[in-house]
Amino acid sequence: TITVERGCGPRYGEFAPNGKDFYLINEIGSRVMHYRYSAGNMTLCEETSTLPYGFTGENICSDLHITADGKFLYASNRLKADGIAIFSIHPENGMLTKAGYQLTGIHPRNFIITPNGKYLLVACRDSNMIQVYKRDADTGLLTDIHQNIKVDKPVCVKFIP
């Protein structure tokens, strides 16, 4: 069981590949909560803002994903700060460090990391496109490769094995 502060709006959570660290994105609170799982208990370790440095304004979060190697976590913001927050994950304690921020199209509802880990695709609902970014495996940073996929109001991206 996880208890969160009233009004933060927990939206989506994911375990890191190590099975010990769990990350929860808060839609309204614009932050990622990091929990450590041990002996059936979840202990809150930290709360980290998803907003770019210096941002003040309205924002809600929508999605988060962790790379298969457990080195990076990505979290999406929408409304006034449309983009993807990039965090590195400490290999021993799972703590997050801001690594960068990638602006995206309007209202990124969902995103996915390709199975080979080389790309990150963002469903930008109000831009009517899925944007394709190349991932740097060493830094976690994203580069827009300008290979947008035009589609009406995309809200979800999935790969089917």
Side-chain angles (χ1 to χ4, degrees):
T1 301
I2 295 174
T3 302
V4 297
E5 179 183 320
R6 184 179 177 92
C8 65
R11 181 171 174 92
Y12 177 78
E14 189 171 297
F15 271 98
N18 67 14
K20 294 188 265 185
D21 294 299
F22 180 77
Y23 301 90
L24 175 69
I25 195 164
N26 291 289
E27 183 172 22
I28 301 166
S30 297
R31 63 185 181 255
V32 174
M33 299 173 82
H34 165 216
Y35 294 86
R36 177 61 60 106
Y37 176 78
S38 179
N41 295 312
M42 299 285 266
T43 303
L44 180 62
C45 299
E46 68 178 321
E47 295 184 36
T48 305
S49 172
T50 62
L51 299 173
Y53 291 112
F55 176 83
T56 58
E58 193 175 344
N59 183 70
I60 56 177
C61 295
S62 57
D63 203 5
L64 75 76
H65 293 288
I66 301 166
T67 56
D69 61 10
K71 291 182 179 181
F72 297 98
L73 179 145
Y74 297 89
S76 57
N77 290 301
R78 50 199 165 127
L79 292 182
K80 301 291 182 194
D82 291 336
I84 304 291
I86 305 164
F87 300 94
S88 61
I89 300 174
H90 191 280
E92 294 172 19
N93 62 23
M95 300 298 265
L96 299 175
T97 301
K98 287 189 177 187
Y101 196 87
Q102 176 64 53
L103 296 174
T104 65
I106 303 168
H107 208 85
R109 292 274 306 173
N110 176 251
F111 67 92
I112 193 165
I113 300 166
T114 58
N116 65 8
K118 292 183 179 181
Y119 300 94
L120 186 141
L121 283 69
V122 183
C124 299
R125 186 191 75 186
D126 294 352
S127 292
N128 295 309
M129 66 180 166
I130 297 171
Q131 288 182 298
V132 182
Y133 295 91
K134 184 172 177 146
R135 283 190 60 250
D136 183 307
D138 295 323
T139 66
L141 298 179
L142 304 172
T143 301
D144 188 348
I145 62 169
H146 304 286
Q147 295 293 313
N148 299 337
I149 303 164
K150 294 183 188 249
V151 61
D152 288 338
K153 304 287 184 199
V155 296
C156 187
V157 182
K158 298 287 181 195
F159 284 99
I160 299 173

